[in-house]
Amino acid sequence: MVSIEERYRYKFAGSIPWHDEGKAVFAGGVTHQTRFVSPFAIYIDHAAGALKYDVDGNEIIDYVMGSGSLLMGHSPPEITKAVAAQLSRGTHLGGASTHEVMYANAVKDLMPSIEQIRFTCSGTESTYLAIRLARAYTGKSKLLKLKGHFHGWHDHVIADSGQTYGGVNESVLNDVIVAPVDTKVIRKILSDNDDIAAVIVEASGANGGTYPLPNPNFLEDIRDMTLNKSVIFILDEVITGFRYSKGGAQVRWDISPDLTTMAKVMAGGQPGGAIGGKSEIMQLMAPSDDFEWDMNHRVAQAGTYNAQPITAAAGIASLKAVSNGVNHIADENAKRLKDGINEALARNEVVGHAYGVSSIVQLSLGVNCNCDREICTLPYDVIHSSMTEEKTNSLRRSMLVNGVEIAMGRKFYVSSVHGKDITDRTLEAFDQSLKDIRSEGII
Ligand code: PMP
């Protein structure tokens, strides 16, 4: 019996020299910590629709989908056309542009809580700016975040986010309180600490919904508690924005945060992000006639590439497709996949379940749950320990050998082009992978 690893080495042999060169130029050989697959990363040459192709010419069904950015698959024609048209009209116009206003209105039209907006270049920049605005608006310093929630890689949000602490400023860490997903505990923290500027929450629950929040109740409770305490509620919709519904998690569950952070789908596969929310908070960035206020109190934001016209063109095209309902097609595709995975688990008598809201399918092996297959109700620690690194690594490798890449070995970002044929092929690969990892004693 040839092992999964041997088959992986054989199938992806052309990636080995690239990986060796990558290791020489990049620490760890990759440019994003989640791109590494043991024993070596695979090198992708090009992509189209739901598929991507590596340097050996292998065709791979892709569920990484730009870490959740590509709601319409790789290079959808409407976005490619919009970007191509803009390329010859200038990639940076060095001033205010009509594009940025149209782009802002496209976001506002879909998310009613947003009165004003600023563009950034990533989700990380968006959460950084949101926290700075919250501190300036409230005059308070502390941030309350939730266990496991990921908001990018800057110092203010690194605590308990599944990331490492090397080089992180300790005084910044001291200003962050990490709470469990427990409204009683959060209420007590808010009443014991009058120096909390903001509560920041991943709208899906930690890690893009791997650890779901008991929604909509949880977000409603956070909204009420923060209003009562004059604390800014920052809803991080980098993953959920324009995916969980046309207007993101906040429209799906009727929540009105003070500030919303966005990126990914809103930028149509280009680098980009945004923060939006109440005008009275956003106005803290506006220049005034008062020199003293301007110098000492105005909230700074710069960024060479904010709302650059290529991102704006891609973003406007992406949001137009969302307003025409493309997210519903992705939702239907995800439901088909999720049902198929649950059937495959039952057929193979493997304990586990697939769950997930909208077009993200999450997998847990080793524990079952009688949830509605949208919001898994198992506690954080149970979900965490059910998917060991050994399981996610093996499943990721085995799925790749069988022609499919899943995100982090446990998650499927489904797009509008993952139709029935692609789903059937994925389910065949999943069935085979369950057999493969079982034969190696992983499950
Ligand atoms: N917030 C959330 C909820 C995210 O999932 C991510 C990225 N996966 C970020 C913020 C950071 O976004 P970016 O990678 O664009 O900096």
Side-chain angles (χ1 to χ4, degrees):
M1 181 77 184
V2 186
S3 73
I4 297 170
E5 180 166 337
E6 281 170 293
R7 283 191 281 155
Y8 183 93
R9 286 182 182 280
Y10 181 75
K11 179 166 181 172
F12 300 112
S15 286
I16 297 175
W18 284 103
H19 179 65
D20 290 340
E21 274 196 56
K23 271 196 302 193
V25 287
F26 306 122
V30 284
T31 53
H32 188 301
Q33 60 223 20
T34 63
R35 288 186 197 148
F36 181 72
V37 193
S38 162
F40 55 85
I42 56 165
Y43 282 74
I44 306 300
D45 180 68
H46 65 283
L51 301 170
K52 58 189 181 189
Y53 300 84
D54 73 353
V55 289
D56 286 293
N58 292 307
E59 183 177 271
I60 299 163
I61 299 176
D62 185 24
Y63 289 96
V64 179
M65 282 286 122
S67 296
S69 322
L70 308 176
L71 187 58
M72 294 186 280
H74 293 282
S75 303
E78 52 274 67
I79 293 185
T80 308
K81 228 169 101 191
V83 167
Q86 185 55 41
L87 274 173
S88 57
R89 292 171 49 81
T91 57
H92 192 306
L93 305 177
S97 76
T98 51
H99 307 83
E100 64 195 19
V101 178
M102 290 189 279
Y103 192 14
N105 281 326
V107 174
K108 273 187 60 167
D109 286 348
L110 293 169
M111 263 188 197
S113 78
I114 292 178
E115 294 168 2
Q116 289 200 305
I117 190 167
R118 275 284 177 104
F119 291 106
T120 65
C121 292
S122 66
T124 299
E125 286 181 36
S126 304
T127 60
Y128 191 26
L129 181 57
I131 294 162
R132 182 180 281 178
L133 275 168
R135 287 190 170 127
Y137 184 78
T138 59
K140 298 187 275 186
S141 61
K142 290 215 161 99
L143 175 73
L144 191 152
K145 80 175 282 295
L146 300 179
K147 180 180 167 61
H149 282 222
F150 184 91
H151 304 288
W153 57 271
H154 59 79
D155 287 9
H156 303 259
V157 290
I158 211 119
D160 210 328
S161 64
Q163 298 177 90
T164 44
Y165 285 74
V168 176
N169 188 323
E170 247 189 88
S171 66
V172 172
L173 280 178
N174 291 338
D175 262 346
V176 179
I177 301 172
V178 178
V181 175
D182 181 330
T183 41
K184 268 196 210 130
V185 176
I186 296 168
R187 185 170 287 115
K188 171 126 180 44
I189 294 172
L190 287 175
S191 70
D192 289 351
N193 296 273
D194 55 12
D195 52 355
I196 296 178
V199 174
I200 187 165
V201 177
E202 253 194 90
S204 55
N207 223 331
T210 300
Y211 306 87
L213 292 172
N215 278 331
N217 301 8
F218 184 82
L219 290 179
E220 282 166 7
D221 287 344
I222 296 286
R223 177 63 291 186
D224 292 347
M225 283 188 258
T226 46
L227 269 182
N228 288 340
K229 290 280 168 194
S230 304
V231 170
I232 300 300
F233 177 16
I234 304 169
L235 191 62
D236 187 345
E237 292 238 42
V238 166
I239 292 275
T240 54
F242 316 104
R243 180 187 285 273
Y244 268 32
S245 81
K246 288 181 187 181
Q250 56 190 268
V251 167
R252 183 182 185 105
W253 289 316
D254 193 19
I255 307 290
S256 190
D258 299 306
L259 294 174
T260 300
T261 51
M262 296 156 271
K264 302 200 192 252
V265 173
M266 72 155 293
Q270 292 293 318
I275 163 178
K278 294 197 169 138
S279 289
E280 58 178 322
I281 307 174
M282 300 297 287
Q283 277 297 324
L284 291 176
M285 290 186 278
S288 83
D289 296 336
D290 179 346
F291 182 75
E292 193 281 327
W293 185 89
D294 240 31
M295 286 307 290
N296 298 315
H297 301 286
R298 176 150 71 91
V299 172
Q301 187 218 3
T304 302
Y305 295 107
N306 296 344
Q308 62 105 349
I310 301 298
T311 298
I316 291 167
S318 176
L319 295 177
K320 187 169 173 207
V322 169
S323 72
N324 288 334
V326 81
N327 56 308
H328 297 303
I329 302 174
D331 286 359
E332 278 167 25
N333 291 342
K335 171 91 173 61
R336 191 187 300 115
L337 177 68
K338 188 166 54 177
D339 290 348
I341 291 175
N342 280 320
E343 280 159 24
L345 290 169
R347 196 171 50 247
N348 287 281
E349 295 176 0
V350 173
V351 176
H353 66 301
Y355 56 95
V357 174
S358 181
S359 47
I360 307 176
V361 178
Q362 319 270 353
L363 179 67
S364 188
L365 294 175
V367 281
N368 213 333
C369 175
N370 55 7
C371 65
D372 62 4
R373 300 297 186 244
E374 289 210 328
I375 295 187
C376 171
T377 49
L378 294 172
Y380 186 102
D381 292 338
V382 175
I383 298 179
H384 188 67
S385 54
S386 80
M387 281 306 259
T388 57
E389 228 175 277
E390 192 189 33
K391 277 187 205 165
T392 53
N393 283 340
S394 294
L395 186 65
R396 189 169 179 183
R397 270 198 301 260
S398 166
M399 285 294 274
L400 274 165
V401 166
N402 291 310
V404 179
E405 182 161 28
I406 55 179
M408 293 178 244
R410 65 185 307 166
K411 196 190 302 237
F412 301 73
Y413 288 108
V414 180
S415 81
S416 60
V417 293
H418 287 82
K420 180 159 183 335
D421 175 48
I422 291 284
T423 310
D424 289 348
R425 285 167 58 190
T426 304
L427 290 171
E428 262 172 51
F430 183 69
D431 207 88
Q432 185 57 47
S433 291
L434 285 180
K435 293 182 169 76
D436 291 348
I437 64 173
R438 180 153 56 195
S439 74
E440 297 200 352
I442 307 294
I443 51 171

